Amino acid sequence: MDTTMEDFLTPELEIRRLKSELRKTQRKLEHLERDRRIMAAMFDQSIRLRDLKDAEAKKQAYYTSTILDNCPEFIFLLNKELVVLLTTDYFYQTAGLTTPITDLPLRQALSSILSEAWINKLEELAHTVIATKETTSLIERIDFGKASGSIYELLMNPTINPADGTVFGVILIFRDITALVEAKERAEAADVAKSNFLANMSHEIRTPLNAIMGLTEFILRDALTPSVKDYAAQIKDSSQTLLAIINDILDFSKIEAGRLEIINTEFQLSSLIHTVNNVVTPFIQKKKLDFKLQVDPSLPKVLFADEQRLQQILLNLLTNAIKYTSKGSVNLKLWGEPLPTADPASPNRKLRFFASVTDTGIGIKAKDQDKIFQSFIRADTTRNRSITGTGLGLSISQMLAHAMHGKITLESVYGQGSTFTFSVECEAVGTERIGAFAAEGAETRTRAFKCSFRAPRLKLLIVDDNLINLSVAEGIFAPYQCHITTASSGSEAIELAQRHAYDIIFMDHMMPVMNGIEAMHHIRCLPGYAETPIIALTANAIRGMRETYLAEGFSEYLSKPINLAEADSLLSKFTPAAYKLQPAAASSRPSQAEDTETLKLVYKEGIEKIQLLPRLLQESDLDNYTIQVHSLKSVAALIGETELSEAAQSHEQAGKEGRKEYIEQELPQLLKCYQGVLARIEQKLAATAAVSKPQPCKKVSEDELLLLSQRMEQALDSFDLDAFAELVQEARQIHLSDQQASCLSSMEEALTNFDFDRLSELLPSFKH
């Protein structure tokens, strides 16, 4: 066979073609292998993702199951048809159910453990939640199977599809809050008990404090010697300090309990300033400080705010400044700034009222300035250990300022002084300004209060179960020269009111058997007493009590301890104008009779003290010895015995320094000087008795003598020693039996010693 060139080329080309195809095939195989590997990797990844998803789902399912199994609440998941889809195991345990309630309608699921009324209520609430898409809640006592009588907070919440906002069911939660409610009730009961305790404590402390302060006023009014007046003034100051502490504790307790009351009323700003000025002036004068009062004349004349709380803040800041200032000055500045008002045409406008108190006292360290507003905290206690108080004043003032939409700020330089500034929101009433303000001088602390009028025709009934308080009240109202009747119980007061007509009645509240409110209501029903002023006279002085008493039907309220200025104001308010007379004019200097009585008192005291001083020295009782010679120093100065006064002063100083040897050495000379003074007094008294010896006595009838005795009894009942002394002098001009003359002399001695009990014992003997 002949072979051509073409025959040789054909296989070669075929081989090439085949190789090309092979390469293409290999490339395809490589691509397929790559795709296979990618698919395998993706498959592996998907398996891992699936496993992870399954694990997460299992974990979430586990967590959900754990929550449902251990949740201490009843939780139900309901669909729109109120079929139970899910609930907690705690529900099964508490309700005592053993069969599942899932896939059952709510009514059927709960029919064995809840009343039909409650099931109806749940269905109604669920339909409301589905329709409104709003959560609802309530607290009720529910009988839930074994959980009988428990208190539950019921919360019903709609389950909403976030994609389209449609409601697909309801979540129903029952939370057992029995323990919380019971704890709340116990806390409320404890709070009520504390409030009752504080009210009773206030009453129990104020009752004897009323007697102390009232009797102290009598001493200030009747005392003949400066030393006695000084002691009485110190008692008065201490009593007022104790009263301020009681008020602070009561205020702090009310604030702590969230029952702080702000009672806004209209008041004259000038009246508030005068009150504050009169309270602090005696303390300013005692420490010999300068006091400057600056009042912005553009301040409103009348404000609408809580006057008592403003006064409380001002007095807290001022008394603090006085306490911590030993020399220099204390200044008070008042001003205001208008605030925007919704109604510019209104006659009343909002005002921010400012007051600053600046002193030149010890100042406050920077590190202590934050903590001084904390309760029961006092800065720099080592330096200030002698300062009295509770440490509540600034804390209470800060709380009061906040309650009145204000605050208190402090600027202080240690060693140089401090400035406290507070602001509160209030309203200006009308457009009248306070103008130029001049502070009136305050009474000194040793000056007795003087009543503003007399009313001999006025008939008072004072009701109190505490006999000391009755005596105090009688003494307080005695200078008005009115007719005073007392009753020691509510029933006795009603009996007296049935038999007599009284113009004003002062009624204590807390009395046994029948309290003052009940007695007041009974008296109001008696003929002629519907409009009679009946004033609550009580130691229950907690904030808001005035409003309570007025709501009960009392005409006014007077707290114990009785403030004489407030008592005078109330008596003036309710006494008919036709009854009022001008008060008796006070003598500018002691009369001879008063001088004689003073000498009698000094002589009697001296006879006892001459024996007492050596005995105290022998017993090494230097404290009491020092007190006795201090009194002697004042008494000797009073009667003009300078030598004795100076000697007593030397002994007083030695006693304070514990120099017993000096006292032992100098006591004989002191006693000799003292005996000489007493001898001169005895001579003066004998001479006075000879000069004032009555002329031949006039004879009077038995009726006239009986009338004089009755007048003496009335003066004694009214604690009017001046009137009683005048009647004794009048009796000296009358022919008396020996027994009556002896009795009269004994009464004169008892009168000199202010011995009311002795006078009461002697008077019946004089009458017969």
Side-chain angles (χ1 to χ4, degrees), residues 228-279:
V228 173
K229 284 183 177 288
D230 186 60
Y231 295 150
Q234 292 180 42
I235 295 172
K236 182 178 179 181
D237 288 348
S238 298
S239 301
Q240 289 172 339
T241 300
L242 178 58
L243 185 60
I245 290 173
I246 295 169
N247 290 336
D248 276 352
I249 293 172
L250 291 172
D251 270 342
F252 180 75
S253 300
K254 292 199 74 177
I255 293 170
E256 189 182 45
R259 294 201 301 272
L260 172 64
E261 295 174 295
I262 299 297
I263 303 173
N264 294 325
T265 57
E266 292 186 10
F267 66 92
Q268 298 272 348
L269 179 57
S270 59
S271 174
L272 169 66
I273 300 172
H274 280 306
T275 299
V276 170
N277 179 65
N278 286 338
V279 170

Side-chain angles (χ1 to χ4, degrees), residues 269-278 281 291-299 301 332 334 433-442:
L269 179 57
S270 59
S271 174
L272 169 66
I273 300 172
H274 280 306
T275 299
V276 170
N277 179 65
N278 286 338
T281 295
F291 182 50
K292 185 177 181 181
L293 175 60
Q294 295 177 273
V295 181
D296 184 350
S298 66
L299 277 170
K301 184 176 182 180
L332 173 61
L334 306 175
R433 311 286 183 173
I434 192 172
F437 182 86
E440 298 173 353

Side-chain angles (χ1 to χ4, degrees), residues 167 178 526 548 711 739:
V167 177
T178 307
L526 297 177
T548 301
R711 289 167 59 199
Q739 183 266 337

Side-chain angles (χ1 to χ4, degrees), residues 329-344:
S329 63
V330 173
N331 299 327
L332 173 61
K333 181 180 179 182
L334 306 175
W335 72 100
E337 293 178 359
L339 293 174
T341 179
D343 183 10

